[in-house]
Amino acid sequence: MVIVLGCGGGDSQNQPSSSTDSQIKSDRLAEETVTFRASEEIAQLNIIFKNGEEAGELSIVESLGGGVGVFDYDQDGWLDLIFPGGGKLSESTLAGLPTRILRQSAPEKFTDVSHVAGTEIVRNYTHGIANGDYNNDGFTDVLITGYGGLQLLTNNGDGSFSDVTEQVGLDDRSWSTSAAWGDFNNDGFLDIYITHYVDWSFDNNPICFNQDGQRDVCAPKVFTGLDDVVYLNSGDGTFAAKRASVGLSPEGKGLGVLLADWDEDGDLDIYVANDTVPNFYYSNNGRATFTEKALISGLAIDDMANPNGSMGLAVIDFDRDHRADLFVTNYEEELSALYRNMGDENFGYESRQAGLNRLGKLFVGFGCVAGDFDLDGDHDIVISNGHAVRYPTNGDLEQEPLLLINEEGRLNRMKTAPSSYFAQTHRGRGLAMGDINRDGQLDLVFANILEPAVLLYGEVQQPQKRVFVTLVGRKVNRDAIGARVCVRLKTSELVGWTTSGIGYLSSSPNELMYVIPDEEVIKEIEVMWPGGDVSTVSSDYLDLRMNNQEFCRVRIVQNR
């Protein structure tokens, strides 16, 4: 069944109802092709992630920051926002601060409904948000990570959430950072991958110094890494923890996790961004058993054979060859990594070929997202930057975010006006994206440390036509994570993937946007669902030229 939700040109009748240049080592900047308008309402709501640094502990737990989730929690057609609050440190204890949820009831109109929704009561010092419909009831649930354990909030469908952490068996007490939902065994229910960081505690909080002899946050190399965990969904509302039995490697220092079907064999693979140790790539053998192949696939280290301090992750079809490439943000003195997918689980490190070395090496990259922000038909990259230590000796504590425009095989930093958010410095961490005001363009949400969260509305003049595709699984998981969507045009094809875990500690909606070149006509949309089933939507539903509409939204529901 196919439902065309609507087409429009961005007007209200088509809406749902109810820096410093010293860091630039480049002689080539992209022209300013997209501007962003900051939401005044979000700024006034004053959503701030607090890390507890005022206690003066200089602990590594203070350095990670928090993420953001973008999702339609009440199914009213408008995307809502959810933010972990972080926590405070006192007398050798950690205490969590409330998780806040902002409901969008009309275009760009937000209300803090945290109390009514029941998200204010937290279990732990919090970091990450992972959204997914684990019980396939049509309402998106929320998993919150942090120091001391997990918290699962099941969506009651009436605007409220219930804490079911203990009832479902999520007994993890390790320091969790990022999490991602995905159906690893194709049984129709979402499982979870949890990344764990290092063995820090108040009893293991050594005193460390920077290069200038000043006390500072200890580097992750001082600590032993923790084991990650997979929780398999039993289908009856409970989860079972698995590690070695499913093939997970020990002692990663995980900060990011991304799920996608990189080898396009119908099941979900896993990529883990580790801090200062080689990254993991788990190839799914089917039925939720994995083989770790990062080194032989070219995904473990950089082109100098060094492991990096990796954080943020994004899928990008950088060269438009219809294969899912991988983008990874890293620590200072390291390039962000662009791994080009060459097929058969072989990847090439192409950061220098893409021009990422021209950005300099002073940035500390955290959140990142890939999307067609300038609406020219290819994927661009946005990175949220900010230092991880308190007293850096190289780069600045607060750093500029980056918008990298894809121009014929190069990722060029876009010029921005001095008043732009991208020209200002921040302690950037989490980052998510989506068409939040439903005007047919991609927007951004930044979560920063000790600074109000920022929502930026994307604005491109004279954009090309585009189609937004959302999938609803029926035989597979309702979120259809792991699907491949091909939009076939008269003379070419456009490909996208539904994934989980993009960004850093953050969660974005799986609505895929395709920009349709001038004079092109859509012939069909083909969906390869997880597990291999294929659905095709004919052009009878998809004539974007009708009435000169700028964009359409298409919801494709899988047949049973």
Side-chain angles (χ1 to χ4, degrees), residues 132-286:
D133 185 1
Y134 80 92
N135 53 9
N136 290 331
D137 66 351
F139 291 93
T140 303
D141 310 298
V142 178
L143 180 67
I144 304 171
T145 66
Y147 188 92
L150 305 171
Q151 183 178 24
L152 178 59
L153 301 177
T154 191
N155 192 328
N156 298 319
D158 60 0
S160 69
F161 294 86
S162 296
D163 187 334
V164 296
T165 311
E166 294 175 351
Q167 295 94 305
V168 303
L170 296 183
D171 55 358
D172 180 40
R173 293 294 179 265
S174 292
W175 183 5
S176 55
T177 51
S178 289
W181 295 95
D183 183 3
F184 297 127
N185 51 12
N186 283 333
D187 65 352
F189 294 95
L190 291 178
D191 310 303
I192 318 168
Y193 189 100
I194 306 292
T195 58
H196 291 140
Y197 195 38
V198 298
D199 67 343
W200 176 88
S201 67
F202 280 106
D203 291 331
N204 184 27
N205 185 28
I207 296 176
C208 299
F209 300 89
N210 64 19
Q211 296 177 14
D212 294 334
Q214 184 175 19
R215 188 187 170 193
D216 207 339
V217 174
C218 291
K221 291 183 178 180
V222 173
F223 303 95
T224 301
L226 301 175
D227 297 348
D228 293 344
V229 64
V230 164
Y231 278 96
L232 295 182
N233 190 331
S234 63
D236 63 359
T238 63
F239 294 85
K242 305 291 182 181
R243 288 188 172 87
S245 64
V246 297
L248 299 192
S249 299
E251 293 189 10
K253 299 180 180 181
L255 287 176
V257 57
L258 179 58
L259 311 182
D261 185 6
W262 276 284
D263 54 5
E264 296 190 351
D265 64 351
D267 51 34
L268 273 177
D269 310 304
I270 304 168
Y271 188 81
V272 179
N274 287 320
D275 195 357
T276 70
V277 297
N279 294 336
F280 298 146
Y281 168 64
Y282 294 107
S283 178
N284 194 335
N285 303 317

Side-chain angles (χ1 to χ4, degrees), residues 350-504:
E350 297 203 355
S351 298
R352 300 180 197 280
Q353 293 90 323
L356 295 172
N357 56 309
R358 298 173 302 157
L359 298 172
K361 293 187 177 182
L362 299 184
F363 291 112
V364 178
F366 281 91
C368 66
V369 292
D372 192 354
F373 294 97
D374 58 358
L375 302 180
D376 68 347
D378 54 28
H379 287 160
D380 313 300
I381 290 284
V382 177
I383 305 174
S384 179
N385 297 305
H387 221 292
V389 299
R390 291 282 300 282
Y391 306 105
T393 56
N394 293 318
D396 296 327
L397 178 64
E398 298 183 349
Q399 301 181 357
E400 298 162 334
L402 298 173
L403 174 53
L404 306 180
I405 299 297
N406 193 337
E407 295 182 319
E408 299 180 350
R410 308 284 276 185
L411 289 169
N412 294 317
R413 186 179 183 183
M414 193 185 76
K415 293 178 181 177
T416 56
S419 59
S420 166
Y421 180 83
F422 286 88
Q424 310 301 319
T425 58
H426 315 272
R427 291 176 71 180
R429 291 300 188 267
L431 173 62
M433 70 176 183
D435 182 7
I436 294 171
N437 60 357
R438 314 307 273 174
D439 69 347
Q441 303 195 46
L442 293 177
D443 310 312
L444 298 165
V445 188
F446 290 85
N448 304 311
I449 290 180
L450 296 178
E451 176 188 330
V454 174
L455 167 56
L456 301 180
Y457 296 116
E459 297 182 331
V460 176
Q461 302 300 318
Q462 298 179 334
Q464 298 188 69
K465 297 174 183 177
R466 54 259 187 224
V467 59
F468 292 80
V469 178
T470 301
L471 304 181
V472 179
R474 299 177 75 181
K475 290 192 292 185
V476 303
N477 67 90
R478 187 176 178 86
D479 293 341
I481 296 168
R484 181 182 190 270
V485 181
C486 177
V487 177
R488 290 199 172 93
L489 307 177
K490 182 172 61 177
T491 63
S492 61
E493 294 181 347
L494 307 171
V495 175
W497 304 267
T498 54
T499 62
S500 179
I502 283 176
Y504 168 76

